[in-house]
Amino acid sequence: MKLFRLVVVLLVLAGLVAADGLAQVPSRPYRIYAITFRGMTDVERGFQDYFASRRIPVQITFRDLNRDPSRMPGFLEEIKRTRPDLVYTWGTSVTLGVVGTYDAYDPSTQITDIPVVFTLVAAPVLAKIVPDLKSSRRNVTGVFHVAPTEAQIRAMASYRPFKSIGILYTPTEQNSVVVVDEVREVSKRLGFSVIAKPLKLDSQKRVTADGAPEMIRELKQQKVDWLYLPPDSYLGTQAKNVIIPAAMNEKLPTFASTEQLMETGALTGLVSRYHSIGQFTAYKAEQILVQKVPPAKIPVETLTRFSLQVRMDVAEQLKLPPPLPMFNYAELIRPGDTPAPTEAAGGQ
Amino acid sequence: MGTIRVRFILVALAVSFFAVGMSAFLNYFKYKSTIGNIVKSRVLVVGRNIENSVQASLAIGMQFAELAQLPQVMSREKSSDRLVRGIDVFDTSGQVIYSTDRTRVGQKVPGPWIGAAERSKTTEWASDEGEDYVAGISLKNAFDLTVGYLALRYSREEVERAASVAGREILLAALGSFFGIAIVAPLALIVVIRRFERDLRTLEAAATHLEDRVEPAVPTGSAFDSSIGHLRASLRDANRSLDDLRAKLDSAA
Amino acid sequence: MAMLEKNYLWRIYWRLAGVIMVCVVIALAVVSYFSHRVFDRELVPETQQKAATVANSVRTLMLKAVGYGVPFNELYGVDQTFGDVFEENPEFNYAAVTDLDGQLLYYRGKEPQGAREYFRSPMILAVGLDPSATWKASKVGPQYFISMPIASDKPLGMLHIGIDSKFVDNVLLEVMLDVVVVLVVSLFFTLELLNFMAGARLASGLGEFAQQVERMRSGDFTATARIRANDEIGRLLRRIDAAIDHLNVRYEFLVGELDDKLRSALGARREALKPAMAALEGIRSRYRFGSAPTNAEGDEMNLNRIRAPLFAFILAEEMTRSYLPSYVNQLLVAIPGFSPQIVIGLPIMLFMLIVALGQPYLGSWSERVGRRRAMLIGASIATVGFAATALAFNLYDLLVWRGLGALGYAMVFVAAQGYVLDRTGQANRAQGFALFIGAIMVATVCGPSIGGILADNIGFRAAFGVSAVMAMLSLLTIARLPTIEVRAPAAKPSRGPRMREILALMVNKRFMTLTGLAAMPAKIILTGVCFYLVPLYIVSIGNTSAMAGRMLMVYAVMMVLIVPLSASLSDNSMRRDRYVSVGLIISGLSGLLLLLSDSFLVLFGVVFLLGLGQALSIAAQSALVAEHCQEEIRVYGHDAVYGVYRLLERLGNALGPLMASVLVVLWGYQGAFIAISALVLICGIAFTIATRGLEWQQTVAANP
């Protein structure tokens, strides 16, 4: 009798162990529906790599807008039909297309009941995707990629301390105006001065780069130590040909707030690696899919560690070598280096 | 007299043994832990160089499992300090992915290593269980997730040899002081005990003369003089009363 | 007269202890000197080796920068790198880079004397130019230098790192603190050991001698049937006994002779015997002869024997105070629904609870079984408890073993108390308890500090092992207690308080004013702060168990110094409630010190004030029960009232860690200190208000 009971107990235990083991492996892979804006980027590669390294089986269906918003309704309909476990959206416009703003979305066409994780959105609160970074209060969460303004300012200071910085910005881009305000706020707290000059508007109230070199000269005369380049689309188009050369002329170091601006030839900048962004997005997706955490409980975050990039040829020209500790952790770009695998232009 | 003296001297010896022993013990352990820390931080300097390289590679988007340059960096760093026996990089499940020792790749690291890494409040950790000491650094990615660990194995010998050399010397110094005390303290104690014993001796001497009818010659100056005086006085009075009774009895005969 | 002899002996002890301490200090100085030499000889080369490794790393970084095209003498931020080096390696105090001519390019730290000449010396310059050189160690005055060449494809310059020779001194300074603790503890050990090894017989012998002198002065020549030891005092006492015997024999003989003569005498002979009879009457009125009644007043010689076992046993438990919470933290198992802080407090709470609940009932048990046997059983159980705690697997079995230890502790404590009660009468009871409390307080001074040092150096488990050994040693001393049990003359069988009584007293306003507003808060802050908050907080900020032990030692020293003082003061002043109030308020202010400063050194002030406050209130508190609750004592009886008082007071012991842990969860460690102090402060103020203006019945201090 005793032996029989022992055997039963052992079998039950074995069964529990087996069940527990089985529970770890899902019976089928998770299905993710991913919408990109301009094809595969490093973000998607990072996204997939994360699942691979964590050995989580996923089946990702990629759909590309190819910069054509008219394709969106078709994708939305496919989502509603195939009902994937998770939807992945790349960039602000794609995300807005799929989930709408938090105060005005259309449940009949847009997605509300399937979790959505967005990536590479520059300013989720400003874009009204989420009311607050702590919680979207709906089935949405995601990752934004622009380093916090204060982190950028501190990175600038760690390169060379400063008392005053100058900014050129596009007054009609709301993004830019907000960032300039943020810089002013940081300046009050950290104790430096900001001189921000809006680019001129032409007769049709469109922004133009006329007079930008003169503005830069003025800034130099006003004794700014750095020229800060905010995440500003128009500025990005003018940086390479107008802004950077003028700054170099005035021997003014430039700090880029995004990787495209960095590409245009700024001295240094704080960038987030798309690959890491993708991995972080996958991390959020894992929390939703595997740990079954509702998206409303997952905060919208960005990376904790950004890459500090330094252009060595610019540094040499300006005679401003990076401080010695930076050689340990900064990414030092020499002319002729193959550009590190990020996207050259177009990021949102 | 002997027993008290002996007993007090035993106390002196026991306490000195405790005090000298404890202080030798403290010095030895302090030495050992200081040397241990110096050696560990030396090893960690090497570790941090490797960590920088890993972080730089991760930062430009390379996969943790595919850091091609890492073995080269590791063997270069290992040769920069003869103390380091071997360097391993292992993932969160404990499996070695890169190592300066080919045979270790694919094996599991000892359990205490991961435990120490998880318990540590910073990215640095250490463990001294097992045959080698190990100092390690936890490798975190761009969103602070631990992707793996770096472990540098170094020989216990350096620390233990140094500790045993020091230990021997400290022990010798302790033994020397202890024997010094064993000689000096009893002598010093005896000076105090002598006064005490003298007092006790007067007591004992007085005790033999307790029933003397004669007054003692000179007070000896011991602390018990007055007591002895009282004692003798009481006995004398009682005896006198009894003498008186005797006399009365005799006279009545 | 008796006092003279008592003081005399302790004066001898202090003199002896002084001599021993002087010798010990000299010995410790010798050990320190040699340790310093060893440290110097061995640590310096190791540090130099580390400096070489660090320098190599800095050199590689500089070469990397040069490789990226930055000219060697235009590097920027080299001093920042040096600053990082200093932060990670406090032994280094200077770093510099020189060019091929020995001129300073970059540096950080205070330049040592002779550095410039050293940099320019030909030997060093030669190293700079030698591509195969690794590194060179030199000594320039009190400073050690490591110099290594920096070369890419051609020599560029040299890197120097300076090691402050004082760092060896600093390392040893840290040891010094612990050595001072060892010294203080050694002093107390010496006194206790002297008392143990020589004292019992000596002290009691001297006491007896004094007693005999007094008795004989008052005419009492009765013979005491005592076995005398064969030492100096014993022989003296024997001679006194002999003298008394002679007297008795003479007396008996004379009485016998007189009786004979009286019987056979008639008439005139009778008359002749009258003077003799008158003389006999005179003798009988002034003196007493015969045998003394068996001692009803207690057993003073054996009373002293309790000190050594009590000291050893309590020491074993006190040693664990400074590191038990950290050990629990290590074995922690997460219990769902409870924060880890609260779980850490569980073993301490359980211990206090078992001691509190066990005490009333163990008293009568130890009476039945015999005090000595009860203590043997208790110490054995506690030894097992300590040993098993050392081997504990996780939190759950730790709780079991600590419970066992609590049982043993309660048994020994109550039996020892009973032992003292048995062997003292009304007159010397206070003295007896002074001895009892004294032994405990000395153990509280020595235990936590030594325990903390042990835990830091040999680990928690081994330290518990040492406690187990200590408990075993106490077993040996308990075995030396007299096996013959003595029953105190007026003793009634004691019993635990009944539930009815407990409930009735708990709703009694007068009783609860004292118990709830004074006694329990005092215990709550004591165990909450000393047993829970201090050890955990100190370790949580990265400091050592030895530091926690030192703080608890400060508390114990305050108690040792101030309790006797406050006891006599409050007895004399008869306004015991004032002492309790002031004591409570001072205790309540202690934790508030954390509002002033963040530094952990403030904690020394906290335990100082806590010790002061507790010392002031504790002596007066228990006597206050008799004064304050006259009515209740009349209704329920002395035993019951005191029984409930003690029970609730000890429940306060158990509540302390619980409340402290909850407060930590709510407000963090500093908040917990402040909150628990504020609570006690409020209770103290409430108590003051409640007892203000009350009529006080002056009574003699009642028994605790």
Side-chain angles (χ1 to χ4, degrees), chain B residues 211 239 242, chain C residues 215 220-224 240-255 288-292:
Chain B
E211 299 173 87
N239 270 314
L242 288 176
Chain C
R215 279 176 16 163
D220 181 352
F221 291 95
T222 51
T224 48
I240 297 181
D241 283 347
I244 291 182
D245 280 342
H246 292 165
L247 270 181
N248 273 299
V249 163
R250 270 194 87 191
Y251 173 79
E252 292 294 335
F253 185 71
L254 286 170
V255 168
R288 282 196 305 283
F289 293 96
S291 301

Side-chain angles (χ1 to χ4, degrees), chain C residues 47 124 129 488 642:
Chain C
T47 315
I124 288 301
L129 292 168
Y642 264 95

Side-chain angles (χ1 to χ4, degrees), chain B residues 14-228:
Chain B
V15 169
S16 323
F17 185 73
F18 165 74
V20 170
M22 276 293 280
S23 84
F25 162 83
L26 284 170
N27 277 306
Y28 172 74
F29 270 100
K30 186 59 167 182
Y31 176 78
K32 191 158 182 212
S33 81
T34 309
I35 280 267
N37 282 339
I38 291 181
V39 171
K40 179 164 65 151
S41 65
R42 186 172 136 196
V43 169
L44 280 176
V45 169
V46 172
R48 265 182 243 120
N49 292 340
I50 303 181
E51 185 200 9
N52 281 334
S53 167
V54 171
Q55 290 291 2
S57 305
L58 288 180
I60 59 176
M62 292 171 73
Q63 279 276 68
F64 182 67
E66 291 160 11
L67 301 169
Q69 303 239 333
L70 192 53
Q72 215 180 345
V73 172
M74 280 161 61
S75 67
R76 188 185 64 217
E77 288 294 334
K78 171 166 176 286
S79 56
S80 75
D81 192 332
R82 57 168 177 80
L83 185 60
V84 177
R85 278 258 192 90
I87 308 180
D88 300 322
V89 174
F90 57 97
D91 64 12
T92 48
S93 72
Q95 195 172 38
V96 177
I97 310 185
Y98 311 93
S99 174
T100 50
D101 176 3
R102 281 292 151 117
T103 59
R104 287 173 75 92
V105 178
Q107 295 190 339
K108 287 259 181 194
V109 300
W113 289 17
I114 303 201
E118 284 172 3
R119 266 200 305 271
S120 165
K121 293 195 184 69
T122 63
T123 52
E124 292 175 1
W125 51 272
S127 166
D128 55 2
E129 302 175 44
E131 52 165 275
D132 276 335
Y133 283 156
V134 71
I137 302 181
S138 305
L139 303 163
K140 296 199 189 262
N141 70 0
F143 45 101
D144 256 359
L145 200 64
T146 306
V147 291
Y149 304 95
L150 172 66
L152 301 112
R153 276 173 295 120
Y154 58 104
S155 142
R156 311 183 84 105
E157 231 184 82
E158 178 99 11
V159 175
E160 308 223 317
R161 181 199 55 83
S164 69
V165 163
R168 222 185 6 250
E169 282 207 31
I170 295 179
L171 180 65
L172 283 175
L175 279 176
S177 332
F178 180 64
F179 284 125
I181 283 200
I183 297 173
V184 170
L187 295 174
L189 277 182
I190 283 174
V191 172
V192 177
I193 296 181
R194 235 188 238 166
R195 167 100 191 277
F196 177 58
E197 289 175 336
R198 189 181 50 129
D199 288 345
L200 288 182
R201 258 201 305 276
T202 41
L203 265 188
E204 194 159 9
T208 55
H209 297 291
L210 268 183
E211 299 173 87
D212 281 1
R213 310 287 176 127
V214 183
E215 285 285 336
V218 197
T220 48
S222 92
F224 295 114
D225 273 349
S226 56
S227 315
I228 297 173

Side-chain angles (χ1 to χ4, degrees), chain A residues 253-283:
Chain A
T254 45
F255 186 92
S257 56
T258 66
E259 40 272 271
Q260 330 141 249
L261 287 165
M262 192 60 213
E263 302 276 327
T264 62
L267 169 63
T268 180
L270 201 61
V271 307
S272 30
R273 286 288 160 185
Y274 279 20
H275 193 269
S276 301
I277 294 282
Q279 285 187 315
F280 200 20
T281 316
Y283 171 76

Side-chain angles (χ1 to χ4, degrees), chain C residues 322-531:
Chain C
S322 47
Y323 61 86
L324 176 63
S326 305
Y327 184 51
V328 178
N329 200 10
Q330 199 180 303
L331 298 175
L332 206 52
V333 171
I335 299 183
F338 289 97
S339 302
Q341 278 80 8
I342 300 186
V343 175
I344 292 176
L346 281 182
I348 308 175
M349 263 180 59
L350 181 68
F351 188 94
M352 295 293 160
L353 207 59
I354 292 181
V355 170
L357 295 175
Q359 283 217 300
Y361 309 101
L362 288 172
S364 44
W365 171 74
S366 69
E367 226 174 88
R368 270 179 291 134
V369 173
R371 310 288 187 196
R372 176 174 169 275
R373 191 178 315 160
M375 287 174 70
L376 280 175
I377 298 177
S380 309
I381 295 182
T383 307
V384 170
F386 282 123
T389 307
L391 302 167
F393 180 64
N394 69 5
L395 179 74
Y396 294 120
D397 68 327
L398 179 76
L399 282 172
V400 173
W401 307 129
R402 284 306 287 168
L404 211 57
L407 188 61
Y409 181 89
M411 285 178 179
V412 171
F413 192 88
V414 173
Q417 229 175 358
Y419 182 96
V420 173
L421 276 171
D422 287 345
R423 289 158 206 273
T424 56
Q426 195 68 12
N428 53 0
R429 184 145 296 168
Q431 270 171 285
F433 273 105
L435 187 153
F436 183 80
I437 301 285
I440 296 181
M441 289 211 290
V442 174
T444 347
V445 169
C446 301
S449 42
I450 291 288
I453 292 175
L454 282 174
D456 277 342
N457 285 305
I458 58 179
F460 296 132
R461 292 182 188 271
F464 268 106
V466 172
S467 283
V469 168
M470 204 68 217
M472 239 179 5
L473 282 178
S474 77
L475 263 175
L476 295 177
T477 50
I478 293 174
R480 286 189 56 180
L481 286 176
T483 48
I484 304 169
E485 294 291 329
V486 171
R487 186 55 55 84
K492 311 174 290 268
S494 57
R495 56 164 181 79
R498 281 194 262 278
M499 198 47 142
R500 187 172 50 88
E501 290 157 343
I502 299 175
L503 291 174
L505 282 168
M506 277 181 78
V507 300
N508 178 302
K509 182 172 154 211
R510 252 199 310 269
F511 181 77
M512 284 313 281
T513 308
L514 183 57
T515 312
L517 284 182
M520 288 182 77
K523 289 291 180 223
I524 287 176
I525 195 175
L526 169 65
T527 55
V529 167
C530 286
F531 295 178

